[in-house]
Amino acid sequence: MSFETSDVYFLKKVFSILITGIVIKIMDDYFDQDIDALEKQPNIYMAMEYGGLPYTLLLFSLAFMLDPITALSLFFSSFAIGMVGHLTVKMPSGLYGYHESIIVVLLGFVLLKLEMLSSLFIVMVIQLWDDYLDYEKDRMNKYNLAFQLGKVECLLLAVILFLLTAYFDYIKAIASIIAMHVIVYIIRLLPDNQKPI
Amino acid sequence: MPFDKITLIAALAITVCLFGYALGRRVGKQEGIKEGMSILPLEWRRQLNETSVCPLCSLRLNQHKNCDNIHSRD
């Protein structure tokens, strides 16, 4: 059995998406560590203790080595979408959330062109799907999109954006959804002693 | 029909459904609130007549403790 160039490209892209997904999850957990400690939710960043930053940089370097355009576009998109809940908050850079969001999206479009668009769409899909699943839990959370838009609207919007991602790049669309579930499974595997007390 | 065309048409079709659903839901919600507001006074009156208990403050009728006397039938 021999691998062709397209198989290698496919595998590199899939693993790059998976590893970037883990990096994004760690970044998300870094911001949520106080809330997760209060709610006793598993948190990868806290489980890694002081190793969080070096491991994250190492993982992102690996993802970048496998497929630089995919890794970078997904990271830029998650950064821009992650700011949406904090648009009017002043960031440590001195800029507001929406400034940073717009700058990152523009930079992404200039550097990565259409790849950035498909990445933005798939990150939105994951955000909408996550909010849809957390609807009951986050009922009173005004940042939950399922609560703001409505449950069915949230689901339909996620389906539309998924189809648009598949139109631009079907490997990214399918691999990202699989990666999301793999990451959720990995978090469940965290041993009890690594979960916050 | 190629795969990309199918996904694009499906996305377009679901977008139309989404707009219809979102608009219908919001308009329906407003209509429901208006209808409910118009039925509510009648419904309260019916409950008051049947049970002799005020549905707003849960006080029984013809009691001197009634704070504003609006339910007294003396």
Side-chain angles (χ1 to χ4, degrees), chain A residues 1-14:
Chain A
M1 193 178 127
S2 64
F3 282 110
E4 288 178 21
T5 318
S6 60
D7 293 336
V8 174
Y9 168 77
F10 172 79
L11 283 174
K12 273 180 159 183
K13 188 159 187 158
V14 169

Side-chain angles (χ1 to χ4, degrees), chain A residues 72-115:
Chain A
L72 206 58
S73 66
L74 282 172
F75 187 76
F76 276 3
S77 305
S78 71
F79 189 91
I81 300 290
M83 288 288 169
V84 169
H86 311 92
L87 288 178
T88 52
V89 178
K90 206 158 192 177
M91 297 295 158
S93 63
L95 299 168
Y96 286 102
Y98 70 92
H99 289 148
E100 288 193 359
S101 205
I102 291 168
I103 289 168
V104 170
V105 169
L106 286 179
L107 193 68
F109 275 114
V110 170
L111 293 175
L112 310 161
K113 315 266 177 337
L114 273 179
E115 193 77 25

Side-chain angles (χ1 to χ4, degrees), chain B:
Chain B
M1 199 183 271
F3 174 75
D4 53 350
K5 264 192 179 173
I6 295 172
T7 52
L8 209 58
I9 291 168
L12 199 70
I14 300 171
T15 307
V16 173
C17 291
L18 172 65
F19 271 107
Y21 179 85
L23 197 71
R25 184 166 167 259
R26 276 152 188 79
V27 171
K29 225 174 171 179
Q30 290 302 318
E31 281 179 5
I33 289 169
K34 267 187 190 168
E35 202 170 309
M37 294 287 274
S38 61
I39 290 171
L40 199 61
L42 291 171
E43 176 61 21
W44 278 347
R45 186 158 286 243
R46 186 186 64 77
Q47 279 182 29
L48 183 68
N49 288 336
E50 282 179 0
T51 60
S52 296
V53 177
C54 172
L56 271 180
C57 59
S58 306
L59 274 178
R60 295 198 73 82
L61 288 180
N62 301 322
Q63 278 194 347
H64 291 296
K65 281 181 186 171
N66 195 341
C67 48
D68 53 8
N69 263 347
I70 55 167
H71 306 311
S72 295
R73 285 176 169 176
D74 291 332

Side-chain angles (χ1 to χ4, degrees), chain A residues 137-148:
Chain A
K137 206 171 75 181
D138 295 349
R139 212 170 179 146
M140 300 316 286
N141 183 354
K142 63 176 179 172
Y143 296 120
N144 187 308
L145 288 166
F147 182 68
Q148 286 180 337

